[in-house]
Amino acid sequence: MKEQKANTNIYSNSKTGNSFRFRMYGWHIIYPLCIYHIILIGTIFIAELLIGNGVEDYMKCQILGTLAALPVIYLRFYKENLVVIGAGEERPKQENIEKVKSAILVILGAACIGVGFGNILTMSPLARISQGFAEANEHFYGSTLLIELIGSAILTPMLEELLYRGVIYERLRFFMGKKWHGIFLSSLIFAMVHLNLVQFIYAFGMGIVLACCMEVTGHVYGAILAHMTANLIAVLNWASKYGVKLNPSYSEVDIPNYIPSKISLTPDEISHI
């Protein structure tokens, strides 16, 4: 109990000056981001030395990095949020059946919005001229179907949602006292770690959608499942063209679009969720 009170004081709106509170709150946003990137990048670096750094090895190294960072983000930061600021307590509670129904609708809706938004961006001129976007897709879809399903559709959404919605968004929401301010800033932070313009725009839009998904479902698991579903659609869409080996010849990619019209896209137009 003493430890819990001490932790609560860290987040409490004390009578200290605004400048001090700003620095303190900023630290509690930056700190988990730094730990996340140190563990992820460090593990990937070691994995590349042991496994290789080819296109086909990228997602394998990403999986190892995600597995290393996941328990730290969950146990050290997400669980702390639950204890200290009571994440999710202020959200409206629903009956179990209604909660399941609304969660399913919201998750499917969020995934469809993500796929649709991704299609709009991939068919835009930005996707055609972005070399960084093309290179990112080449790495993301460079492995086999099983590896992509584990990495892109399961582990990566789980880790990113625990960090960016379960930790960063919840803390911003608590510190700022306004839901939409927290949604906007957490989405902007999420977008900034994507290092090309197309993915920046996509990540910012999806960050807003996933935070809203978390608000409606009342739990970060809603955002996790929505993110997983969107990524799963992307991976399966790619696999529908190439089967088990997703990227046999990236220079000859011709993937059908997500929408029923089956518009063919060029390699640099395929968006990673």
Side-chain angles (χ1 to χ4, degrees):
M1 290 300 293
K2 290 182 180 180
E3 182 179 352
Q4 181 173 338
K5 286 184 178 180
N7 286 335
T8 304
N9 289 335
I10 294 175
Y11 296 95
S12 64
N13 293 317
S14 63
K15 295 182 179 180
T16 54
N18 289 334
S19 177
F20 174 79
R21 288 206 303 271
F22 178 80
R23 291 196 301 271
M24 180 180 68
Y25 295 164
W27 171 247
H28 286 290
I29 300 300
I30 294 172
Y31 179 56
L33 285 170
C34 290
I35 296 299
Y36 161 75
H37 282 99
I38 289 171
I39 296 174
L40 185 67
I41 294 173
T43 305
I44 290 176
F45 176 76
I46 295 172
E48 286 180 344
L49 294 177
L50 299 175
I51 298 175
N53 59 356
V55 171
E56 68 280 1
D57 301 316
Y58 175 83
M59 188 53 67
K60 298 174 186 176
C61 297
Q62 186 78 20
I63 288 173
L64 294 176
T66 302
L67 288 173
L70 191 57
V72 176
I73 297 302
Y74 179 77
L75 296 174
R76 174 63 182 86
F77 299 110
Y78 179 71
K79 294 288 284 185
E80 180 185 74
N81 274 18
L82 295 180
V83 173
V84 177
I85 65 177
E89 287 185 355
E90 298 177 6
R91 297 183 177 87
K93 303 299 181 182
Q94 298 175 308
E95 296 296 331
N96 288 337
I97 296 178
E98 291 300 319
K99 184 185 295 186
V100 171
K101 288 181 180 178
S102 63
I104 292 174
L105 290 175
V106 168
I107 289 166
L108 292 177
C112 290
I113 290 173
V115 169
F117 186 37
N119 275 315
I120 292 173
L121 284 175
T122 55
M123 290 186 288
S124 72
L126 287 176
R128 300 176 189 275
I129 63 176
S130 175
Q131 182 63 29
F133 180 53
E135 291 175 357
N137 283 325
E138 183 176 5
H139 284 79
F140 276 122
Y141 293 108
S143 191
T144 63
L145 175 59
L146 179 60
I147 295 297
E148 292 294 334
L149 287 174
I150 295 172
S152 294
I154 299 176
L155 293 178
T156 296
M158 188 182 302
L159 176 60
E160 289 186 344
E161 294 313 307
L162 282 175
L163 176 64
Y164 290 102
R165 255 59 65 182
V167 177
I168 303 301
Y169 167 60
E170 286 285 10
R171 291 186 178 188
L172 286 169
R173 184 178 186 269
F174 178 78
F175 294 154
M176 305 180 77
K178 295 183 179 180
K179 176 176 66 177
W180 284 105
H181 289 182
I183 289 176
F184 178 85
L185 283 179
S186 63
S187 300
L188 183 60
I189 293 171
F190 183 52
M192 289 172 66
V193 302
H194 295 76
L195 302 180
N196 63 77
L197 182 59
V198 177
Q199 287 185 316
F200 177 92
I201 296 172
Y202 180 82
F204 179 72
M206 275 304 291
I208 293 174
V209 171
L210 291 168
C212 291
C213 184
M214 179 175 170
E215 284 292 329
V216 174
T217 59
H219 204 287
V220 71
Y221 295 154
I224 291 174
L225 290 174
H227 197 157
M228 284 181 173
T229 303
N231 282 21
L232 177 64
I233 293 173
V235 172
L236 292 180
N237 180 73
W238 191 276
S240 68
K241 182 70 174 182
Y242 289 112
V244 176
K245 182 65 177 177
L246 296 190
N247 194 10
S249 178
Y250 187 75
S251 61
E252 300 176 359
V253 174
D254 181 24
I255 304 301
N257 199 355
Y258 296 120
I259 57 179
S261 57
K262 297 294 182 183
I263 300 174
S264 294
L265 303 179
T266 55
D268 56 339
E269 291 178 310
I270 307 302
S271 174
H272 182 267
I273 306 298

